[in-house]
Coordinates of all heavy atoms in Angstrom, one line a residue:
P12 N 26.9 -54.3 4.3 CA 28.3 -53.8 4.7 C 29.4 -53.8 3.8 O 30.1 -52.9 3.5 CB 28.4 -54.4 6.0 CG 27.1 -54.8 6.6 CD 26.4 -55.1 5.3
G13 N 29.6 -55.0 3.1 CA 30.6 -55.1 2.1 C 30.6 -54.3 1.0 O 31.6 -53.8 0.6
I14 N 29.4 -54.2 0.5 CA 29.2 -53.4 -0.8 C 29.4 -51.9 -0.4 O 30.1 -51.1 -1.2 CB 27.8 -53.6 -1.3 CG1 27.7 -55.0 -1.8 CG2 27.5 -52.6 -2.5 CD1 26.2 -55.4 -2.3
L15 N 28.9 -51.6 0.7 CA 29.0 -50.1 1.1 C 30.5 -49.8 1.3 O 31.0 -48.8 0.8 CB 28.2 -49.8 2.5 CG 28.4 -48.4 2.9 CD1 27.7 -47.3 2.0 CD2 27.5 -48.1 4.3
K16 N 31.2 -50.7 2.0 CA 32.7 -50.5 2.2 C 33.3 -50.3 0.8 O 34.2 -49.4 0.7 CB 33.3 -51.6 2.9 CG 34.8 -51.5 3.2 CD 35.2 -52.7 4.0 CE 36.7 -52.7 4.3 NZ 37.3 -53.8 5.0
Q17 N 33.1 -51.1 -0.2 CA 33.7 -51.2 -1.5 C 33.4 -49.8 -2.1 O 34.3 -49.2 -2.8 CB 33.2 -52.3 -2.3 CG 33.9 -53.6 -1.9 CD 33.3 -54.8 -2.7 OE1 32.4 -54.7 -3.5 NE2 33.9 -55.9 -2.6
L18 N 32.1 -49.3 -2.1 CA 31.8 -48.1 -2.8 C 32.4 -46.9 -2.0 O 32.9 -46.0 -2.8 CB 30.2 -47.9 -2.8 CG 29.4 -48.9 -3.6 CD1 27.9 -48.6 -3.2 CD2 29.6 -48.5 -5.1
L19 N 32.7 -47.0 -0.8 CA 33.1 -45.8 0.0 C 34.6 -45.8 -0.4 O 35.2 -44.8 -0.7 CB 33.0 -46.0 1.5 CG 31.7 -45.6 2.0 CD1 31.5 -46.0 3.5 CD2 31.3 -44.2 1.9
Q20 N 35.3 -46.9 -0.4 CA 36.8 -46.9 -0.7 C 37.0 -46.5 -2.2 O 38.0 -45.6 -2.3 CB 37.3 -48.3 -0.6 CG 37.5 -48.8 0.8 CD 37.9 -50.3 1.0 OE1 37.7 -51.1 0.2 NE2 38.4 -50.5 2.2
R21 N 36.2 -47.0 -3.1 CA 36.3 -46.6 -4.4 C 36.2 -45.1 -4.6 O 36.9 -44.5 -5.2 CB 35.4 -47.3 -5.4 CG 35.6 -47.1 -6.8 CD 34.3 -47.4 -7.7 NE 33.2 -46.6 -7.3 CZ 31.9 -46.8 -7.6 NH1 31.5 -47.8 -8.2 NH2 31.1 -46.0 -7.3
D22 N 35.1 -44.6 -4.1 CA 34.8 -43.1 -4.2 C 35.9 -42.2 -3.5 O 36.3 -41.2 -4.1 CB 33.4 -42.7 -3.8 CG 32.4 -43.4 -4.7 OD1 32.7 -43.7 -5.8 OD2 31.1 -43.3 -4.3

Side-chain angles (χ1 to χ4, degrees):
I14 293 171
L15 182 59
K16 180 180 177 182
Q17 288 175 347
L18 289 172
L19 284 172
Q20 286 175 337
R21 183 196 70 195
D22 288 348

